[in-house]
Amino acid sequence: MAAEDLPSEFDVVILGTGLAESVVAAAFSRVGQRVLHVDRRSYYAANWASFTFNGLLTWIQENQEGSHPEEAQDWSSLVEEGEELIRLSNSDSTSISNVQVFTYTSEEDEEEEEAPNTTEEETGGAEGDAVKEASETESADSKEEETEEKQEETAEGGGGGEEEQAPSTEGEEPEADQPAPSAAQSQSEPAKKKKISYTKLVKEGRRFNIDLVSKLMYSRGSLVDLLIKSNVSRYAEFKNVTRILTYRNGQVEQVPCSRADVFASRQLSVVEKRKLMRFLTSCVEETEEQRAYNGRPYLEFLRDQQLGDNLQHFLLHSIAMVTEDTPTEEGLASTRNFLRCLGRYGNTPFLFPVYGLGEIPQCFCRMCAVFGGIYCLRHSVTCLLVDKESNRCKAVIDSRGQRITCSHFVMEDSYVGVDRKKVDTPTRFLSRAVLITDSSVLPSDSDQQVSLVTVPPIAAGRPAVRMVELCSSSMTCMPGTYLVHLTCQSVGSAHEDLSPVVNSMFRTPESPDQETRPSVLWCLYFNMADSSGLEVQGHDLPSNVYVCSGPDAALGHDHAVKQAEFIFQKILPEEDFCPPAPNPEDIIYDGDNPSPTATEGEAEEGEGETKEEKEVQEQEEVQEEQSLHPEE
Amino acid sequence: MAGGSVSECKEYLFKVLVIGELGVGKTSIIKRYVHQLFSQHYRATIGVDFALKVINWDSKTLVRLQLWDIAGQERFGNMTRVYYKEAVGAFVVFDVTRGSTFEAVAKWKHDLDSKVKLANGNPIPSVLLANKCDQKKDISNSTALMDNFCRETGFLGWFETSAKENINVDEAACFLVENILANDKGLPYEESNGDRIKLDQETVAAESKSGCC
């Protein structure tokens, strides 16, 4: 906890804790490289992060206010002869835009049964503000006896600024393009059944783990393989995605994808069942017939199989998850990938991490730390020091003005100054929406389903939307609610792209007549830059500097994993990428005799040294131990 | 983290965190407790996540205690959520010979309480360890002060320990486990975690070759 200086020499310095950077960090640390891993943010995982509800409110606030880049300091005194200084970008303002929040549930329950518990709301410094605002909201409206008590608590916890805050946290951000939809006012809807109030969402905020990106893990995808191979999987647990759903003709339907599903399906006729089974069996192997369709749309291929509209829809939108003009070979490859991943863990090809996707980068960070990597959040690298002659980055200057020597430098793309980025394609964006709802889009016997919902374009020129509905046992939302993530490649702003889908599939103040649909209690729209087109190298940067891109639009994680492996192999081509870490239960400690001269105090001081013979020995022992149990 | 019951013998798996400043002897305490070893030579903890101690608590109760060390290098206090999640108890350790490590205790405790809670929203039970007591004899004067400090900061209690001389390490662990068990009995399980999936080599090996569809 102490603010002490960092060691001044590392093998690899990594800036940003997104997925690719975190995998790189774990991979280097695992093979004995000295890793410094920092992030300017106060949280792990960058744009891959997940937040509690209150944490998300703080994130929203930060992104609506825009960032306040620190003043560039003059570090020229740290530049040595023959060195050149490259400044990194220190603002994150470009990656998140069009943040809009709507609260559709009432501020408070009609009968709030218990007074707010301050210890419950005791959160870290960053979250304090959001909680404070919420408390203010409470006291503004409450006519109950607790009012005074609450205000006291507010004054105690908040400290200043109470008057200038509007009594609700939602509303348009000033720089949003669209005018505020009139229905976006709070308390606009007379509750028919008792809905969970906004106050309750805030109070139970810690039960939410809301991801900024929405992806799933293919059960045989590169991320699952890597988690297993490296033993990083020990830090997480997963849930099966239990259903694949699709939205069609105004209805949510279940897509039969496994053999069991096909037989159990009530929507399919016997003929359709037979046709689907035959198709799925036949497409596993590439045939002459399929090759004849290369370059022509997959839709055409499907049509010619005489499958009928139902099956064609399922196969195109929900199984291959491609668009109508995707070429046949791509559609088939994607269908095969889907089928290959079926049945490994469950009835769908997908897994979802308990506590959300934000866990995954942190799992790799933990592995890195366990093998000696040093972690600092709220800490950045402001400049690179480049040797003019070799065009290599020799050292970096951190945000405290410390010069840190390194052999390689890896960073998230948002730290690369615009002037140095080589961008071939215009930046693409993802449109994202996050909804908290009160029931499932397709109620079933179990209320604990994790569903992937594919929503084909609702009109020509509109994007296909991918939706993931999470239940409370995924530990991403409070009991009694569902967390719904919508994602698409941006055509317009997130609100423009996604609100039509939200209004047609859910009940909101803009679609009040959708009485049978789940009600939206709260929702957030934002756009995130999709930098996945960016190359790892080739920018106007030194040759030993590598750039990781942020989240991409794909459902899986292949892009980030490939990028991490590429960087690792570029730097250490001889080394194994993420070999299995030893099982803690297999490690045997040597009971070496204490040296008679050393006292405990002296020995303990040694903990501060990062690289010592003994340490290397320990690690070798660990690796030896591991090699004895390769199968465990 | 709590395990289910098997007919007569109840088995529990508890994750316990061991936190505190650099060099206070966290690793030494764990190694003493789990492996009955003490070495002068531990360096920053490399390659070790947690140590497992299996306790035959009584004839009907088996406790598997996972003691999670902070990776030596997470010393700037930025532990991942992976470290904290689903922990049911904690030791906060300081070094009686270095006052600054005691001053940091409140910070560690606050950090702990903000990052992990029991299912019912209460803080997880935690015990304060005044380690290296073999090197300083006069701490007994401050018993009342320490008791008071524990009440104020929300510790269940405190122990003077020495990993080197094997003083009070077992006692402290026993005290914490008692409290964890008491919590566990008093609380209904929030939900069954039975359908959670662990990804590991065994699953892969045991995987049937039966294809899909």
Side-chain angles (χ1 to χ4, degrees):
Chain A
M1 299 231 105
E4 52 189 309
D5 268 359
L6 291 163
S8 59
E9 198 187 332
F10 288 90
D11 296 313
V12 189
V13 173
I14 302 171
L15 180 54
T17 51
L19 181 58
E21 301 95 280
S22 302
V23 173
V24 169
F28 280 115
S29 176
R30 180 65 188 84
V31 296
Q33 299 279 305
R34 295 164 301 168
V35 175
L36 172 65
H37 198 179
V38 299
D39 198 310
R40 69 181 148 211
R41 303 167 182 88
S42 58
Y43 50 87
Y44 278 97
N47 279 347
W48 303 80
S50 55
F51 295 101
T52 62
F53 188 63
N54 303 330
L56 186 64
L57 294 178
T58 307
W59 179 88
I60 289 167
Q61 209 174 25
E62 284 168 4
N63 280 284
Q64 288 182 334
E65 281 167 1
S67 57
H68 310 286
E70 284 165 37
E71 248 173 67
Q73 299 196 47
D74 182 21
W75 301 125
S76 47
S77 59
L78 294 167
V79 181
E80 291 172 7
E81 195 160 330
E83 288 178 352
E84 185 188 18
L85 188 141
I86 295 182
R87 278 187 195 288
L88 299 183
S89 164
N90 61 354
S91 95
D92 191 24
S93 54
T94 50
S95 73
I96 304 292
S97 53
N98 301 323
V99 180
Q100 288 173 278
V101 181
F102 303 94
T103 303
Y104 295 144
T105 187
S106 55
E107 285 297 329
E108 258 188 288
D109 284 349
E110 300 295 281
E111 64 281 7
E112 176 75 76
E113 61 282 18
E114 45 185 54
N117 180 350
T118 41
T119 55
E120 189 91 32
E121 294 174 352
E122 195 180 310
T123 46
E127 290 175 8
D129 279 357
V131 172
K132 187 189 77 183
E133 271 188 31
S135 313
E136 284 161 9
T137 311
E138 277 166 22
S139 38
D141 290 343
S142 176
K143 292 187 175 60
E144 288 171 289
E145 288 177 10
E146 302 137 33
T147 307
E148 274 186 32
E149 187 191 330
K150 282 179 192 169
Q151 276 170 341
E152 270 174 35
E153 282 169 3
T154 304
E156 194 183 298
E162 274 155 77
E163 299 306 313
E164 64 207 56
Q165 296 283 357
S168 61
T169 52
E170 77 278 8
E172 300 291 317
E173 61 161 334
E175 62 261 46
D177 296 327
Q178 302 80 20
S182 58
Q185 304 305 318
S186 59
Q187 304 150 349
S188 55
E189 197 186 348
K192 250 181 73 184
K193 56 181 171 178
K194 197 183 163 197
K195 286 207 291 190
I196 291 170
S197 68
Y198 184 77
T199 309
K200 186 95 176 162
L201 294 180
V202 171
K203 192 178 164 196
E204 298 285 315
R206 71 182 180 89
R207 296 187 188 274
F208 289 89
N209 282 297
I210 304 172
D211 290 318
L212 294 183
V213 288
S214 175
K215 286 176 176 290
L216 296 175
M217 298 164 61
Y218 280 94
S219 69
R220 290 177 200 276
S222 51
L223 182 58
V224 168
D225 287 350
L226 179 62
L227 285 166
I228 293 173
K229 178 192 173 202
S230 60
N231 275 343
V232 171
S233 59
R234 75 163 72 118
Y235 300 127
E237 290 179 299
F238 301 84
K239 283 186 87 78
N240 273 312
V241 171
T242 53
R243 308 184 293 188
I244 312 279
L245 308 176
T246 190
Y247 187 64
R248 188 165 167 246
N249 305 327
Q251 296 297 322
V252 177
E253 293 176 21
Q254 182 157 2
V255 177
C257 47
S258 69
R259 190 185 290 265
D261 282 355
V262 174
F263 286 120
S265 170
R266 269 172 259 156
Q267 311 119 269
L268 296 181
S269 70
V270 178
V271 178
E272 280 177 319
K273 285 182 185 181
R274 225 175 275 152
K275 277 184 179 171
L276 182 57
M277 288 307 296
R278 192 162 3 124
F279 179 85
L280 293 176
T281 314
S282 73
C283 80
V284 175
E285 305 266 306
E286 197 178 352
T287 63
E288 208 47 51
E289 190 204 355
Q290 292 167 6
R291 268 193 288 275
Y293 284 85
N294 280 4
R296 290 155 64 193
Y298 189 44
L299 182 63
E300 215 176 296
F301 174 76
L302 292 174
R303 269 197 199 122
D304 292 352
Q305 303 296 310
Q306 314 282 330
L307 295 163
D309 284 351
N310 267 340
L311 298 184
Q312 200 173 289
H313 177 101
F314 292 157
L315 285 164
L316 186 76
H317 297 293
S318 307
I319 292 180
M321 288 180 275
V322 296
T323 60
E324 302 199 338
D325 46 7
T326 306
T328 302
E329 61 275 23
E330 219 176 286
L332 279 168
S334 159
T335 305
R336 285 190 200 112
N337 186 35
F338 184 102
L339 296 175
R340 204 170 62 91
C341 294
L342 271 180
R344 186 178 202 183
Y345 298 107
N347 261 340
T348 76
F350 306 110
L351 293 172
F352 184 82
V354 176
Y355 294 102
L357 285 166
E359 286 295 286
I360 303 297
Q362 295 194 57
C363 292
F364 285 97
C365 291
R366 168 74 186 173
M367 183 60 83
C368 175
V370 163
F371 282 90
I374 294 191
Y375 276 82
C376 268
L377 298 178
R378 295 179 203 86
H379 200 100
S380 193
V381 168
T382 57
C383 309
L384 308 182
L385 294 172
V386 185
D387 181 57
K388 283 183 195 162
E389 206 169 302
S390 62
N391 188 34
R392 287 178 69 83
C393 172
K394 283 169 68 183
V396 301
I397 298 174
D398 76 357
S399 42
R400 289 203 204 122
Q402 189 185 343
R403 183 185 163 110
I404 298 167
T405 309
C406 64
S407 313
H408 301 278
F409 182 70
V410 179
M411 68 174 147
E412 179 194 318
D413 73 287
S414 71
Y415 293 85
V416 183
V418 185
D419 51 323
R420 294 194 176 265
K421 244 185 229 182
K422 186 180 140 245
V423 186
D424 292 333
T425 48
T427 311
R428 287 171 297 178
F429 287 89
L430 304 180
S431 287
R432 290 273 294 114
V434 176
L435 321 177
I436 299 171
T437 69
D438 67 348
S439 56
S440 172
V441 288
L442 186 64
S444 69
D445 298 344
S446 163
D447 63 354
Q448 296 297 310
Q449 303 264 12
V450 178
S451 314
L452 168 65
V453 192
T454 59
V455 185
I458 47 171
R462 305 302 304 167
V465 175
R466 193 173 73 219
M467 184 161 120
V468 175
E469 185 190 76
L470 301 165
C471 59
S472 61
S473 66
S474 70
M475 308 306 275
T476 58
C477 56
M478 62 179 279
T481 65
Y482 290 82
L483 184 64
V484 181
H485 288 281
L486 291 92
T487 311
C488 69
Q489 197 75 255
S490 299
V491 175
S493 75
H495 187 264
E496 287 163 355
D497 287 345
L498 298 171
S499 65
V501 173
V502 171
N503 287 329
S504 71
M505 296 182 69
F506 297 90
R507 188 161 184 248
T508 70
E510 289 168 77
S511 57
D513 47 338
Q514 305 261 35
E515 288 186 16
T516 56
R517 308 277 193 197
S519 288
V520 177
L521 306 176
W522 181 89
C523 65
L524 159 71
Y525 294 92
F526 64 94
N527 289 94
M528 184 186 285
D530 170 4
S531 57
S532 60
L534 218 59
E535 294 295 324
V536 165
Q537 285 181 300
H539 307 277
D540 181 14
L541 290 167
S543 57
N544 58 341
V545 171
Y546 303 83
V547 178
C548 296
S549 52
D552 62 336
L555 178 56
H557 298 77
D558 291 354
H559 185 79
V561 173
K562 277 200 190 106
Q563 207 165 51
E565 190 166 2
F566 176 83
I567 292 170
F568 180 80
Q569 281 169 351
K570 199 95 186 160
I571 298 174
L572 294 176
E574 305 293 308
E575 292 278 359
D576 195 3
F577 179 63
C578 294
N583 186 338
E585 292 169 33
D586 295 339
I587 295 171
I588 296 157
Y589 297 95
D590 55 335
D592 55 341
N593 291 323
S595 105
T597 50
T599 71
E600 188 180 355
E602 279 163 12
E604 291 284 348
E605 268 166 29
E607 277 193 25
E609 296 153 42
T610 52
K611 194 80 177 174
E612 285 209 4
E613 215 183 319
K614 175 67 188 174
E615 197 175 281
V616 175
Q617 264 175 27
E618 272 185 24
Q619 204 167 341
E620 279 165 359
E621 280 157 23
V622 159
Q623 279 161 355
E624 237 167 63
E625 183 57 34
Q626 175 59 24
S627 64
L628 296 175
H629 306 273
E631 298 311 316
E632 290 165 38
Chain B
M1 271 328 255
S5 63
V6 185
S7 59
E8 280 175 18
C9 185
K10 259 193 157 181
E11 202 176 311
Y12 295 89
L13 177 63
F14 293 140
K15 173 174 173 178
V16 169
L17 310 178
V18 183
I19 56 181
E21 293 288 274
L22 189 67
V24 296
K26 299 179 291 292
T27 309
S28 297
I29 287 174
I30 293 175
K31 289 185 180 171
R32 166 60 77 189
Y33 180 58
V34 176
H35 305 282
Q36 292 304 322
L37 290 175
F38 179 80
S39 163
Q40 313 280 16
H41 295 291
Y42 303 128
R43 298 290 183 240
T45 316
I46 293 280
V48 183
D49 261 326
F50 55 80
L52 185 76
K53 172 95 173 179
V54 181
I55 313 166
N56 290 306
W57 188 255
D58 57 37
S59 59
K60 288 184 193 139
T61 318
L62 184 78
V63 174
R64 296 165 68 85
L65 204 60
Q66 266 183 3
L67 292 157
W68 283 59
D69 211 337
I70 62 176
Q73 311 300 356
E74 287 172 298
R75 58 183 172 189
F76 294 92
N78 298 311
M79 258 81 70
T80 54
R81 197 175 49 188
V82 170
Y83 178 75
Y84 286 107
K85 77 177 168 190
E86 299 186 345
V88 294
F91 290 113
V92 180
V93 188
F94 72 98
D95 174 352
V96 292
T97 65
R98 285 190 292 149
S100 64
T101 66
F102 177 72
E103 283 156 30
V105 164
K107 266 194 295 178
W108 281 105
K109 178 69 165 72
H110 179 83
D111 190 56
L112 176 72
D113 291 346
S114 72
K115 293 205 170 122
V116 62
K117 287 184 167 70
L118 295 176
N120 64 4
N122 289 336
I124 64 171
S126 54
V127 171
L128 182 61
L129 302 185
N131 195 37
K132 304 191 189 177
C133 69
D134 56 292
Q135 293 180 39
K136 199 174 182 182
K137 303 292 174 215
D138 57 351
I139 191 167
S140 47
N141 306 341
S142 46
T143 299
L145 273 172
M146 287 293 286
D147 285 344
N148 201 31
F149 176 80
C150 284
R151 251 193 313 279
E152 278 171 5
T153 37
F155 285 102
L156 294 172
W158 64 284
F159 287 83
E160 283 180 77
T161 57
S162 164
K164 189 180 181 186
E165 303 298 332
N166 197 13
I167 300 170
N168 269 343
V169 177
D170 286 348
E171 287 78 359
C174 182
F175 177 72
L176 181 61
V177 171
E178 237 164 55
N179 277 281
I180 296 171
L181 279 167
N183 263 328
D184 201 85
K185 278 172 186 142
L187 289 173
Y189 295 136
E190 209 170 8
E191 77 283 294
S192 121
N193 298 337
D195 58 347
R196 290 191 187 176
I197 296 167
K198 293 292 283 182
L199 306 183
D200 51 41
Q201 315 269 4
E202 282 160 45
T203 328
V204 182
E207 213 178 3
S208 71
K209 282 190 175 169
S210 71
C212 41
C213 287

